[in-house]
């Protein structure tokens, strides 16, 4: 049994920034998460995500691909977040590598189902803090 609190599927949930360079993958993820009640912003690169995060402090979590074009990948974005926005939760995804989970980032391997993505984000954003 999961210890993630049950939240009605249509309840308004925190804001999530989806960072994915593949348009179709991003579009499907965004549509599903919006349908689940999340407020969603989207970015194609880590640089674009950083600009959004500087301007919008309401974002509670970032769901980012690890490998993206540009000067930063998803891991560098997560490291930047840890320094500049430590309260923002991070969920990374990749089909090629597994990042170091000791950094406090959750990881979802590609290919993932929409339900797995939603469950991981709910766990990050709705679970009560330990301790």
């Amino acid at each position: 049994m999961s210890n993630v609190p049950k939240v009605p599927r249509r309840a308004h949930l925190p804001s999530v920034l989806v960072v994915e360079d593949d348009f179709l993958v991003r579009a499907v993820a965004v549509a599903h998460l919006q349908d689940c009640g999340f407020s969603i912003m989207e970015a194609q690169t880590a640089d674009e995500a950083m600009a959004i995060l500087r301007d919008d402090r309401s974002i509670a979590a970032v769901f980012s691909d690890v490998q993206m074009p540009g000067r930063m990948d998803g891991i560098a974005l997560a490291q930047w977040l840890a320094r500049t926005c430590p309260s923002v939760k991070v969920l990374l995804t990749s089909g090629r590598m597994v990042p170091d989970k000791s950094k406090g980032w959750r990881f979802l391997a590609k290919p993932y189902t929409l339900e797995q993505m939603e469950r991981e984000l709910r766990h990050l954003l709705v679970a009560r803090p330990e301790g």
Side-chain angles (χ1 to χ4, degrees):
M1 273 224 164
S2 172
N3 51 349
V4 176
K6 300 293 182 198
V7 175
R9 199 163 167 79
R10 296 280 181 192
H12 176 72
L13 295 171
S15 295
V16 175
L17 174 59
V18 176
V19 188
E20 170 64 61
D21 61 305
D22 184 308
F23 173 77
L24 291 176
V25 172
R26 188 175 69 246
V28 170
V30 165
H32 180 74
L33 292 172
Q34 286 174 328
D35 186 49
C36 293
F38 290 96
S39 296
I40 300 295
M41 297 196 74
E42 54 186 294
Q44 185 174 346
T45 66
D47 291 319
E48 191 178 318
M50 288 171 57
I52 291 168
L53 287 155
R54 282 185 191 110
D55 290 340
D56 189 340
R57 294 296 180 171
S58 71
I59 295 170
V62 171
F63 176 47
S64 179
D65 192 7
V66 170
Q67 296 179 308
M68 293 179 287
R71 66 182 180 94
M72 292 178 70
D73 63 9
I75 292 174
L77 175 62
Q79 292 168 335
W80 178 83
L81 279 165
R83 289 189 308 274
T84 60
C85 308
S87 65
V88 176
K89 310 286 188 191
V90 177
L91 174 59
L92 296 173
T93 186
S94 177
R96 297 187 182 162
M97 65 175 296
V98 176
D100 182 358
K101 291 182 183 180
S102 71
K103 303 287 186 190
W105 310 317
R106 293 190 66 88
F107 178 74
L108 184 59
K110 286 182 178 180
Y112 53 82
T113 67
L114 295 175
E115 291 76 19
Q116 289 170 319
M117 175 187 60
E118 176 189 355
R119 183 174 55 244
E120 286 294 323
L121 284 168
R122 284 180 183 267
H123 179 80
L124 273 178
L125 294 168
V126 184
R128 292 179 185 93
E130 294 179 24

